Amino acid sequence: MGDIVVAKPKEGGGSSSTIKCPMLTTTNYTVWAIRIKLLLKVHKVWDAIENDSDVREKNDMATALIFQSIPEALVLQVSDLDTAKKVWDSIKSRYMGADRVREARLQTLIPEFERLKMKDNDTIDDFVGKLAEISSKSTALGENIEEYKLVKKFLSSLPRKKFIHIVASLEQVLDLKTTTFEDIIGRLNAYEDRVKEEEEAEETQSKLMLANNESQPTSNSYNQGYNNYRGRGRGGHYYNRERG
């Protein structure tokens, strides 16, 4: 990971802060683009790419930040481009492919999104991560998945046996068209934690009952043996007296 130094010093003086930014690889373009975009916004130079600004200082700053987070071989390939937008678009086209390739990728993502279901052994966070990954890929390809669609897909993909009651409650009390995805995730996480606590309590209770049941026969066997011993002892005693 490269260290990108923030241009503006901290308030009140002091040295500049450092932001960790991932180096672009053949497999992390989507995440890389998200982080670099945020970094450019922090430095107030994102409009050099978004609006193709011709302000020299902004172009130079944006280009410099991008160059610090791409491999040397790629720097050599795009170094002749004279604006930050051209550099950005060139990198994007290399990693995202042409329009036809991008459209083909979208066509594979849509069925993947529709088929996605939460497995019984998945946690809420596991499943949310899968949804978010597909959503991020789709956004990078130029197709935003609307938030209400994420909410609807999320609730409809949960295992019914485990979550049917909370889903039914949310559908009754919330307007799912305006409810944020983060709000739904928070509610389901809280419900999952509560269910987990109850399951752990039931498991502990079952173990205690099992332990008590296993110890009970041992005690009865001991008492039975002791009573038999006493009975045999008394019988032997009287028998000896009668013989005497």
Side-chain angles (χ1 to χ4, degrees):
M1 298 176 69
D3 293 350
I4 296 182
V5 179
V6 178
K8 295 182 179 179
K10 296 179 180 178
E11 294 183 2
S15 59
S16 299
S17 60
T18 300
I19 296 177
K20 295 288 186 180
C21 188
M23 184 63 64
L24 177 63
T25 68
T26 57
T27 59
N28 73 339
Y29 172 79
T30 300
V31 174
W32 175 87
I34 292 172
R35 292 182 176 178
I36 291 297
K37 181 178 179 180
L38 179 60
L39 185 67
L40 294 173
K41 286 184 175 181
V42 169
H43 283 76
K44 312 299 182 184
V45 294
W46 172 245
D47 61 325
I49 294 172
E50 188 175 38
N51 302 318
D52 197 13
S53 172
D54 57 357
V55 178
R56 187 76 264 167
E57 291 183 357
K58 289 188 175 183
N59 266 288
D60 290 345
M61 173 62 76
T63 303
L65 291 172
I66 294 173
F67 277 10
Q68 288 188 57
S69 62
I70 62 177
E72 291 182 0
L74 185 55
V75 172
L76 295 174
Q77 295 172 25
V78 299
S79 60
D80 292 336
L81 301 176
D82 57 357
T83 67
K85 178 174 175 55
K86 291 180 180 179
V87 172
W88 180 271
D89 290 343
S90 177
I91 295 173
K92 184 177 180 180
S93 65
R94 290 168 188 268
Y95 284 83
M96 298 304 296
D99 289 341
R100 291 183 180 179
V101 176
R102 185 157 53 246
E103 184 66 25
R105 290 180 179 176
L106 274 174
Q107 293 303 318
T108 61
L109 275 180
I110 294 174
E112 182 181 350
F113 178 76
E114 293 175 349
R115 290 194 306 266
L116 190 62
K117 295 287 184 181
M118 180 175 171
K119 299 178 181 178
D120 290 335
N121 58 344
D122 281 346
T123 65
I124 292 296
D125 288 337
D126 291 337
F127 185 61
V128 169
K130 295 176 183 178
L131 276 177
E133 182 180 1
I134 294 178
S135 177
S136 297
K137 289 181 179 179
S138 180
T139 301
L141 291 168
E143 186 72 25
N144 290 323
I145 299 178
E146 297 177 80
E147 192 163 29
Y148 83 91
K149 291 183 178 180
L150 284 174
V151 171
K152 182 179 179 181
K153 174 62 181 176
F154 177 62
L155 293 178
S156 65
S157 301
L158 298 175
R160 292 182 59 81
K161 183 177 180 181
K162 187 175 181 180
F163 294 99
I164 186 172
H165 298 297
I166 182 65
V167 170
S169 298
L170 293 177
E171 289 176 343
Q172 291 178 2
V173 301
L174 297 178
D175 182 0
L176 299 183
K177 290 185 178 180
T178 59
T179 303
T180 64
F181 191 40
E182 288 75 14
D183 183 23
I184 292 294
I185 294 171
R187 293 172 185 269
L188 266 296
N189 270 324
Y191 178 79
E192 184 181 52
D193 291 340
R194 181 178 178 182
V195 170
K196 185 176 181 181
E197 290 175 359
E198 292 178 355
E199 289 176 348
E200 290 176 351
E202 291 177 359
E203 184 178 356
T204 301
Q205 184 66 23
S206 298
K207 288 180 179 179
L208 290 174
M209 293 177 64
L210 180 61
N212 290 334
N213 291 336
E214 289 178 347
S215 62
Q216 190 67 27
T218 303
S219 176
N220 290 338
S221 299
Y222 172 79
N223 293 334
Q224 185 67 30
Y226 179 67
N227 291 333
N228 291 340
Y229 170 76
R230 292 183 61 192
R232 288 195 301 270
R234 287 196 299 269
H237 177 67
Y238 293 140
Y239 177 72
N240 289 336
R241 289 184 61 186
E242 290 171 0
R243 289 185 62 188

